[in-house]
Amino acid sequence: MDVLSDAIAAMRTGQPHSSRQDKYAPWGIRFDASAGAGFHVVLQGSAWLIPSDGDPVALGPGDVVFLAHGRGHALASDIDVPLEEVRLDQGTDLTELPSVQGSLKRTPTVLLCGAYWLDRARAHPLLAELPEVVHLPARVGAHRTLRAAVELLGVELEEPQPGSDTIVTSLLDTLLLYILRAWWQRERHGQGHPTGWSAALADPGVAAALRAIHGDPSHPWTVQELGARGGLSRAAFARRFTTLVGEPPLTYLTWWRMTTAGRLLRADDTPLRLIAQRTGYASEFAFAKAFKREYGVAPGQYRKGVS
């Protein structure tokens, strides 16, 4: 997997959910803070996104917004309409979201709303640095793959067919990747120089090292070997990696190994010996010692706690 896909997989839990909603003004919904990350797409009409902190954002047809940090927010036909409370959790049925319904003679605002459930205890820094609101306005010719995913998802939700449950889940996974890719591409090509993980993924030397680490975390990587992947000397690579990623290469390697181990322990009953091998440890004992140092509990206790 690539770095972006890995970052999402490391945090994802449960199944994503979504719904298609027709709203007739005046209407307003307030979403409480939750452990998830949410998205909204305006298919038709207009709406206001009202974040918990910051100015309201006007949304038009084709606009996509992504709220990565699970903070409370509202959607409304106008910024001063009454808001009905909604609490999002993994049991919420998004097909039954309330709204204040106005005259049915008016043209509705048609929305796609969805949520992804995340384990924030091991938040990848690539996602942690996202702003509270990622707003991707509709522009002709921009983000064509994202628009295609939105259209397909909208069709499946409007007219469910045999197999739609599986298709919708896959499209939601795809949509999340396209949203994040569109954001980082915009950051990379915006005014000024990209910073943080946008810069790290755009830097050939650092990106090559990150792909190597994520592609084979079990390999006994050295700083020199990782630098050589991007054609850099050991010292130059170490400085550049630390500046852009925020920590030295081998520190990030250890963090990613432990994050991978946690994901494997949550997923199934794979023997600890195999998890140790997949994360670069010569023995189960060495792995268990490193894991307890990172998580504060032994691997077996961690697995029991999340099973």
Side-chain angles (χ1 to χ4, degrees), residues 9 11 38 42 60 82 85 96 115 135 152 164 199 204 228 242 267 282 302:
M11 296 181 65
V42 180
E85 299 286 338
E96 299 180 356
H135 179 207
L152 287 170
S164 282
T242 303
Y302 179 84

Side-chain angles (χ1 to χ4, degrees), residues 2-266:
D2 60 85
V3 180
L4 178 56
S5 300
D6 272 350
I8 294 171
M11 296 181 65
R12 283 284 306 279
T13 63
Q15 293 290 324
H17 297 274
S18 66
S19 70
R20 185 181 185 274
Q21 302 285 321
D22 291 3
K23 304 296 184 185
Y24 295 85
W27 59 270
I29 308 171
R30 183 188 299 279
F31 297 88
D32 288 343
S34 74
F39 74 87
H40 305 289
V41 183
V42 180
L43 297 181
Q44 175 183 311
S46 62
W48 285 90
L49 175 77
I50 307 170
S52 59
D53 182 20
D55 296 329
V57 179
L59 304 177
D63 281 12
V64 177
V65 289
F66 179 65
L67 300 104
H69 305 298
R71 294 173 186 155
H73 64 282
L75 279 177
S77 56
D78 210 334
I79 57 176
D80 57 358
V81 301
L83 300 174
E84 193 159 353
E85 299 286 338
V86 173
R87 179 172 179 81
L88 278 183
D89 55 40
Q90 295 204 38
T92 301
D93 183 357
L94 293 182
T95 63
E96 299 180 356
L97 292 181
S99 69
V100 181
Q101 298 287 2
S103 172
L104 298 183
K105 295 180 180 180
R106 299 179 183 178
T107 301
T109 293
V110 182
L111 304 168
L112 289 182
C113 301
Y116 305 91
W117 311 116
L118 305 177
D119 175 10
R120 300 190 184 279
R122 299 294 295 185
H124 193 284
L126 186 151
L127 298 179
E129 75 174 20
L130 286 170
E132 179 177 353
V133 177
V134 171
H135 179 207
L136 299 169
R139 293 192 179 95
V140 176
H143 314 313
R144 293 170 59 192
T145 51
L146 172 59
R147 306 301 163 195
V150 166
E151 183 175 355
L152 287 170
L153 180 59
V155 170
E156 288 294 331
L157 292 173
E158 184 179 14
E159 302 176 0
Q161 301 290 329
S164 282
D165 287 349
T166 299
I167 291 172
V168 166
T169 298
S170 298
L171 285 173
L172 286 170
D173 289 338
T174 301
L175 182 65
L176 177 55
L177 287 167
Y178 281 144
I179 288 172
L180 295 176
R181 180 194 287 177
W183 166 255
W184 273 293
Q185 286 177 344
R186 192 177 73 178
E187 289 294 289
R188 184 184 304 176
H189 298 114
Q191 295 182 353
H193 297 287
T195 59
W197 275 84
S198 293
L201 295 178
D203 184 279
V206 173
L210 288 168
R211 287 194 298 270
I213 289 171
H214 282 251
D216 188 4
S218 66
H219 185 80
W221 296 107
T222 65
V223 175
Q224 183 172 348
E225 189 177 7
L226 288 169
R229 288 296 182 110
L232 297 171
S233 69
R234 183 185 186 283
F237 164 71
R239 286 194 301 269
R240 188 177 298 182
F241 189 101
T242 303
T243 298
L244 296 180
V245 174
E247 57 189 357
L250 298 189
T251 301
Y252 179 80
L253 170 62
T254 298
W255 182 86
W256 180 245
R257 284 173 168 172
M258 290 294 98
T259 299
T260 300
R263 185 175 70 206
L264 292 172
L265 287 166
R266 292 196 307 267

